[in-house]
Amino acid sequence: MSALNFPKRAEALICVAALAVWLGVTAMYIGFRGEHVVMAVLIALLFFANGFTRRLMVALVPFFLFGISYDWMNLLPNYEVNPVDTAGLYGLEKSLFGISTAAGVLTPNEFFAIHTCRLMDFMAGVFYLCWVPLPIIFGLWLYFTGRPVVYLHFALVFLLVNLIGFSFYYVHPAAPPWYVAMHGFEAVPGTPGSVAGLGAFDSMTGLGIFDGLYARNSNVFAALPSLHSAYTLVAFIYSLRCNAGAVWRWLLGIVTVGIWFTAVYTSHHYIIDVVGGIACALAGFALFEYVLMRIPAFARFIARYAAYISPTDK
């Protein structure tokens, strides 16, 4: 039996310790849910099954850390750190992008709320369902087609963009447009999430997907920047960077623009939030590729990481 079927003792200890810390902190301060068990079992199975799955698990670490860091924002809600921007952001959106109508000047969100289209209602749901799955699928495609270096750059930039966005949520907590439409300008901690305009997709399909997702959103004051607008943009950038082919470029390009429009159309984000998400994606990419990768020690670490996760037999 190949030695690749078993991790080194140090690697096994690191994996077990990391799982114990994550599950312990989550259980104590956030609350244990079914997906935590699924994720823990998946990580353990991939790590201990054999060498190939272990390399895959280590390759997926940036995406696991993304999920954990998002969940751990519940440890300290951003509205307990800084005041929530409700009226200011609404007023700025109206002054920059307001639409003059017979009823007065409306934000784009308010305009679309009274000018809906069933086709766009459906496409909005399709686009928003792609926001995380499509980048992960693209990343796995990079990995399994023998591009471990490009994959690793993409996955780490994806994580970095999230960390930048999550940090800004604490610097400037902000209410989404649907919150202002439903609750006014007073920020009430613990207000449940809302499907907003995505409810039309749920009603049309009868699937209830977005109702299930947003009903569990424990912090609605994380609208600026719109990370929905950043994820597929990062994937699109790397599809260009690695010459992934026309199918990937067109698919990611169309979905990215579709998500930008959907974010505003469904009142989940202001245009300002979308621009912030785009800026976040570009900043994360530039920081990683043109700052961090020029640090010799960091570049050597990335090279070793890429060599370790290579899916080819060693």
Side-chain angles (χ1 to χ4, degrees):
M1 187 175 293
S2 171
L4 284 179
N5 288 332
F6 302 99
K8 296 178 181 178
R9 183 176 181 181
E11 293 176 337
L13 290 175
I14 290 172
C15 180
V16 171
L19 284 174
V21 170
W22 163 51
L23 293 175
V25 171
T26 299
M28 290 175 60
Y29 299 104
I30 296 176
F32 221 49
R33 301 191 301 271
E35 59 262 34
H36 295 133
V37 176
V38 172
M39 187 171 169
V41 170
L42 176 63
I43 290 172
L45 286 176
L46 288 174
F47 189 82
F48 289 101
N50 56 58
F52 176 79
T53 59
R54 182 159 53 255
R55 291 192 293 273
L56 175 60
M57 193 286 292
V58 175
L60 291 172
V61 162
F63 292 106
F64 288 132
L65 290 178
F66 151 66
I68 293 170
S69 60
Y70 178 82
D71 198 31
W72 276 14
M73 283 197 295
N74 290 301
L75 293 171
L76 178 63
N78 63 342
Y79 52 76
E80 294 183 1
V81 176
N82 279 307
V84 177
D85 184 349
T86 54
L89 195 58
Y90 173 85
L92 181 59
E93 179 80 1
K94 182 175 284 190
S95 68
L96 291 176
F97 306 107
I99 300 171
S100 296
T101 70
V105 178
L106 305 177
T107 65
N109 310 102
E110 292 169 331
F111 178 83
F112 285 127
I114 56 177
H115 294 85
T116 58
C117 165
R118 284 185 62 81
L119 175 61
M120 193 56 230
D121 289 341
F122 178 77
M123 292 307 300
V126 173
F127 287 135
Y128 245 45
L129 286 174
C130 294
W131 68 293
V132 168
L134 187 59
I136 293 177
I137 292 170
F138 172 70
L140 291 173
W141 177 82
L142 288 174
Y143 181 74
F144 286 116
T145 55
R147 298 173 172 89
V149 175
V150 179
Y151 161 78
L152 189 57
H153 281 228
F154 162 68
L156 290 173
V157 169
F158 182 91
L159 175 61
L160 179 60
V161 166
N162 275 284
L163 297 179
I164 293 171
F166 293 168
S167 298
F168 198 79
Y169 290 159
Y170 285 91
V171 174
H172 191 88
W178 66 259
Y179 181 91
V180 173
M182 293 177 64
H183 305 288
F185 296 122
E186 181 182 359
V188 180
T191 300
S194 170
V195 294
L198 290 169
F201 178 86
D202 278 355
S203 298
M204 188 182 303
T205 62
L207 297 175
I209 295 173
F210 293 107
D211 183 63
L213 288 174
Y214 285 98
R216 297 165 58 185
N217 183 9
S218 59
N219 181 7
V220 301
F221 304 122
L224 176 64
S226 166
L227 290 179
H228 286 86
S229 302
Y231 295 154
T232 55
L233 176 58
V234 173
F236 176 70
I237 290 171
Y238 278 93
S239 74
L240 298 176
R241 191 173 176 84
C242 74
N243 193 24
V247 173
W248 272 117
R249 292 197 299 270
W250 277 102
L251 177 61
L252 289 167
I254 290 171
V255 170
T256 297
V257 174
I259 288 175
W260 294 348
F261 179 76
T262 296
V264 179
Y265 176 78
T266 61
S267 286
H268 277 276
H269 291 284
Y270 296 112
I271 293 177
I272 294 171
D273 303 337
V274 173
V275 172
I278 295 169
C280 195
L282 297 176
F285 169 75
L287 177 60
F288 185 90
E289 295 292 354
Y290 301 110
V291 178
L292 296 178
M293 285 303 297
R294 293 186 178 181
I295 301 173
F298 185 81
R300 289 194 296 271
F301 164 74
I302 295 300
R304 291 195 299 270
Y305 194 162
Y308 183 92
I309 66 173
S310 175
T312 58
D313 291 331
K314 299 180 180 180

